[in-house]
Amino acid sequence: MHDTIRSDPNDTAASETGTAPERGRRRHVTSAATRIKIIEAAEKLFADRGIDGVALREIAAAAGQGNNTAVQYHFGTKEALVYAIFDYRTEMFEPLRAAMLDRAEEAGLLGDARTLLEIMCLPHLTISDENGRHPYSAFLAQYLTRTRAEGIPHPYDDPEVPVPALRRVRRLIVERVNYVPPVELRLRVGLCKLMFLNMLMRRDSGFPHFDQGITLDALVDDTMVQMTVALTAPYNHHHAPLFADMIKAD
């Protein structure tokens, strides 16, 4: 959605045979495959160490690129690479969310808070690595808790970016919880999303321990229950300040 695909200078020799259109197609396919390798390598490194804690040359090496400047060549900047990760995964999530929305509409559940949260979050379960971990979820949690606040805006805050299924889910949540002011509701939704992402991160790191007998399905179900309660809780900002009795005058 944000980046165009360029030919990879490392692949020129492999593309010298055949007609010009054939060579162009091979370069395009090879370059696209290289970009995916870089995206997936960056996603894992960002998930483990944070976006600021990873150098572009490390990403190139992890993606198996001999050229240390491969990331700059394909993406330009780290910020553009972050956006490319969002685009890559959202292209996977959008059809899943669209299908879930269609099923929810047929079942008359578009006003059900849990259903809407499931449509937003459950697609994350479809992305796991060879060890069953969820690097995109960990990357997104890192981004939401640190990088976004440090000045890299979420690309889908731009209304021109085409993510219709995600935007529809957000609109339906606003309609369902319309008694919460917009700013506070946005914070609620973000905290609910982080609850889900952090649950996956903790499970991937070994909590709960396998011998406790808690399946992923059970963990997801219980987390969704908690998220639904948090999202739909009454809104009241008229309470006295928390810990007011502990605040002493200067």
Side-chain angles (χ1 to χ4, degrees):
M1 296 178 188
H2 290 89
D3 297 304
T4 57
I5 295 178
R6 295 179 283 185
S7 59
D8 190 336
N10 294 327
D11 302 316
T12 302
S15 304
E16 288 178 351
T17 60
T19 65
E22 289 171 344
R23 291 196 299 271
R25 283 193 294 272
R26 283 199 295 270
R27 284 195 296 268
H28 180 88
V29 170
T30 303
S31 182
T34 299
R35 286 168 58 86
I36 291 173
K37 288 180 181 177
I38 292 172
I39 285 171
E40 292 181 346
E43 183 179 86
K44 288 184 179 180
L45 288 171
F46 290 158
D48 288 341
R49 290 158 47 193
I51 294 170
D52 291 337
V54 180
L56 296 183
R57 66 179 180 277
E58 294 179 273
I59 298 171
Q65 303 302 300
N67 187 342
N68 286 337
T69 63
V71 177
Q72 292 93 319
Y73 179 83
H74 285 279
F75 300 96
T77 65
K78 185 181 286 187
E79 181 174 340
L81 176 56
V82 168
Y83 288 166
I85 295 172
F86 281 126
D87 287 347
Y88 177 59
R89 293 312 189 185
T90 300
E91 286 175 2
M92 299 177 180
F93 287 171
E94 273 290 291
L96 292 173
R97 287 182 173 133
M100 293 173 77
L101 281 164
D102 288 343
R103 290 195 296 271
E105 187 166 20
E106 291 174 3
L109 292 173
L110 289 182
D112 180 68
R114 170 159 176 164
T115 297
L116 297 175
L117 288 170
E118 288 178 351
I119 294 169
M120 178 175 287
C121 295
L122 293 189
H124 283 268
L125 299 175
T126 66
I127 297 176
S128 60
D129 63 15
E130 62 278 6
N131 298 312
R133 298 186 179 94
H134 303 81
Y136 178 69
S137 298
F139 154 77
L140 182 57
Q142 289 273 11
Y143 169 81
L144 292 174
T145 54
R146 296 177 58 185
T147 312
R148 189 176 194 177
E150 293 169 359
I152 298 183
H154 197 295
Y156 307 135
D157 289 340
D158 179 356
E160 299 301 318
V161 177
V163 281
L166 178 59
R167 296 197 193 285
R168 188 182 182 196
V169 174
R170 289 177 173 176
R171 288 195 301 271
L172 289 166
I173 288 175
V174 170
E175 293 172 10
R176 171 61 180 83
V177 199
N178 58 14
Y179 50 86
V180 178
V183 173
E184 286 81 354
L185 179 55
R186 185 173 180 178
L187 290 172
R188 276 196 190 190
V189 173
L191 289 171
C192 287
K193 184 71 174 282
L194 281 170
M195 190 184 302
F196 186 86
L197 299 176
N198 285 326
M199 174 272 295
L200 283 181
M201 290 173 64
R202 295 184 77 195
R203 181 183 182 275
D204 290 350
S205 65
F207 184 84
H209 198 262
F210 71 91
D211 64 4
Q212 292 178 281
I214 301 175
T215 65
L216 178 59
D217 284 348
L219 195 58
V220 168
D221 180 65
D222 189 57
T223 303
M224 295 303 307
V225 170
Q226 296 175 64
M227 292 164 60
T228 303
V229 172
L231 179 67
T232 58
Y235 176 76
N236 185 352
H237 67 286
H238 299 299
H239 290 298
L242 296 176
F243 312 115
D245 57 335
M246 299 175 64
I247 300 174
K248 298 180 180 179
D250 294 334

